[in-house]
Amino acid sequence: MPPPRLLNLGLQGGGAHGAFTWGVLDALLEDGRFGFDGLSGTSAGAMNAVMLAQGWMAGGRDGARAALRRFWTSLADTMPVDVTQQDADGGVHLAPMVKWWMAWAHYVSPAQFNPLGVNPLRQLLLDQVDFDGLRQRCPFRLFVAATHADSARLRLFGAPELDVDAVLASACLPTVFHAPRIDGQTYWDGGYAANPAVFPLLEGSRTRDTLLVLLSPLEWPPTQPTDTARELHARVAEIAFTSAFRREMQALVRERARRARSPWHRWLPRSWSGDEPATRFHLIEAGPELEHLAGETRLAINARFFETLHQLGRASAGRWLEQHADAVGRRDSVELAAKFG
């Protein structure tokens, strides 16, 4: 068989919806046509990236698939009771008690309702990730995004400095969890600053091809005067957690357009021209598959829900492989200007 073609992966955060990305990665690993150079993840995307790297380091493709499944299965096991309810038509919602807790979370700090700082995710990560090993021999360029709470600046943790606090910081909603302190500084969820960070994937990469796996929709239904307060709050949160990523992609679109307009265009190397850009992008969106889910289901820690999302992710990746796998190494398979311009 020919050697696998290389991809960078940009993995967006989205809480429990990250199980969709698990399904995408599972299908890519099973397919076997692609290897990976750089992984950039935020929040749930960071969890997936770290588990992919950990599993690959321990056992190649099969090890990566096993590590991802072990993580999501163990995460579901941390919830002793079912926090979801399912409608007759298949819709998923949080249980009333969980909704009540979410409402109260706006009025009390984590230090008040969780004074001991209990976070089952910490022990889960410590049990399943060899952070010392990843720091020394990570098989990929690995980037985990967090937000510096006192300046709102993006903080990227690379593999050589990765530890459990860096991964927890990337997924830390400050109204829910105790914020990790690293070197005396406080860090919050990376989604505020980059979701995911794309630019580190492009610098020093062995491939021009980057696959973005997005959990948040790029467009929403038109707002209406009748929208409820909950719907408006959900829209505000969606915008807040994707605005930095959108600006980064818009900058890439503008740079491509600038190069294409250059009077020196015809004499530039082809890799600099608008006809053959220095980067190629590919996209798998969860939006069309998850648009029926309420935003609150990002907190739905439930094994059956995870498996459903996993299967949706596998199906989406299967369609992408069938339609666009041949584009890798040759051209974009998504029109960036139409999506982000």
Side-chain angles (χ1 to χ4, degrees):
M1 293 182 64
R5 287 168 283 170
L6 289 179
L7 276 173
N8 293 318
L9 295 176
L11 309 180
Q12 197 170 63
H17 293 183
F20 176 93
T21 303
W22 163 34
V24 170
L25 298 177
D26 192 44
L28 293 176
L29 290 163
E30 182 182 51
D31 181 78
R33 280 179 283 177
F34 301 104
F36 309 110
D37 179 46
L39 310 178
S40 177
T42 297
S43 194
M47 304 292 171
N48 280 317
V50 168
M51 298 315 301
L52 172 58
Q54 167 66 36
W56 192 292
M57 181 177 69
R61 291 180 183 275
D62 290 340
R65 294 184 69 192
L68 285 161
R69 172 164 289 280
R70 184 166 56 249
F71 171 80
W72 286 98
T73 301
S74 299
L75 180 59
D77 290 341
T78 64
M79 189 61 64
V81 296
D82 190 350
V83 297
T84 63
Q85 293 182 334
Q86 191 162 355
D87 299 336
D89 60 359
V92 177
H93 304 279
L94 291 180
M97 182 59 70
V98 181
K99 293 182 180 181
W100 177 85
W101 171 78
M102 288 175 58
W104 269 102
H106 290 285
Y107 302 101
V108 294
S109 71
Q112 292 173 310
F113 69 76
N114 184 11
L116 298 180
V118 176
N119 187 345
L121 190 55
R122 173 181 291 275
Q123 192 57 52
L124 191 159
L125 289 169
L126 289 173
D127 289 342
Q128 297 191 10
V129 179
D130 176 8
F131 285 102
D132 287 336
L134 281 180
R135 285 193 292 269
Q136 298 173 26
R137 55 183 187 279
C138 183
F140 313 113
R141 298 181 304 125
L142 179 59
F143 307 98
V144 169
T147 302
H148 184 243
D150 296 329
S151 66
R153 292 175 181 170
L154 170 64
R155 173 68 158 90
L156 283 175
F157 294 93
E161 55 188 344
L162 200 64
D163 62 13
V164 68
D165 283 322
V167 182
L168 290 175
S170 184
C172 176
L173 292 174
T175 59
V176 178
F177 301 109
H178 286 249
R181 289 184 62 82
I182 302 171
D183 297 329
Q185 302 296 311
T186 301
Y187 291 94
W188 290 351
D189 195 297
Y192 297 115
N195 193 20
V198 177
F199 71 87
L201 293 173
L202 311 182
E203 298 174 355
S205 176
R206 293 182 294 155
T207 179
R208 296 182 191 174
D209 292 273
T210 296
L211 172 61
L212 302 172
V213 184
L214 304 186
L215 301 179
S216 294
L218 292 175
E219 291 189 13
W220 300 278
T223 57
Q224 303 293 335
T226 56
D227 287 346
T228 66
R230 177 173 294 178
E231 290 170 332
L232 293 173
H233 284 301
R235 180 70 59 87
V236 169
E238 290 274 12
I239 293 173
F241 275 97
T242 58
S243 59
F245 165 72
R246 290 170 183 268
R247 285 195 298 271
E248 192 173 358
M249 296 306 298
Q250 287 166 352
L252 286 167
V253 170
R254 288 195 297 271
E255 178 61 14
R256 283 190 175 189
R258 184 191 67 79
R259 289 182 176 181
R261 292 194 303 268
S262 169
W264 302 101
H265 175 73
R266 71 180 65 182
W267 294 285
L268 288 172
R270 290 194 65 199
S271 63
W272 280 51
S273 74
D275 299 324
E276 186 179 344
T279 57
R280 293 182 286 258
F281 280 93
H282 315 277
L283 176 65
I284 295 177
E285 290 185 80
E289 300 293 339
L290 307 187
E291 62 184 0
H292 65 289
L293 295 175
E296 65 190 32
T297 57
R298 287 180 175 83
L299 296 177
I301 309 301
N302 176 276
R304 183 173 59 178
F305 185 49
F306 287 168
E307 288 291 348
T308 298
L309 294 175
H310 171 260
Q311 290 303 314
L312 291 173
R314 279 184 59 88
S316 294
R319 289 190 293 272
W320 180 84
L321 287 166
E322 181 179 349
Q323 298 170 12
H324 301 301
D326 290 341
V328 176
R330 297 181 175 88
R331 61 185 183 278
D332 290 329
S333 63
V334 59
E335 178 54 56
L336 286 191
K339 288 287 185 179
F340 303 103

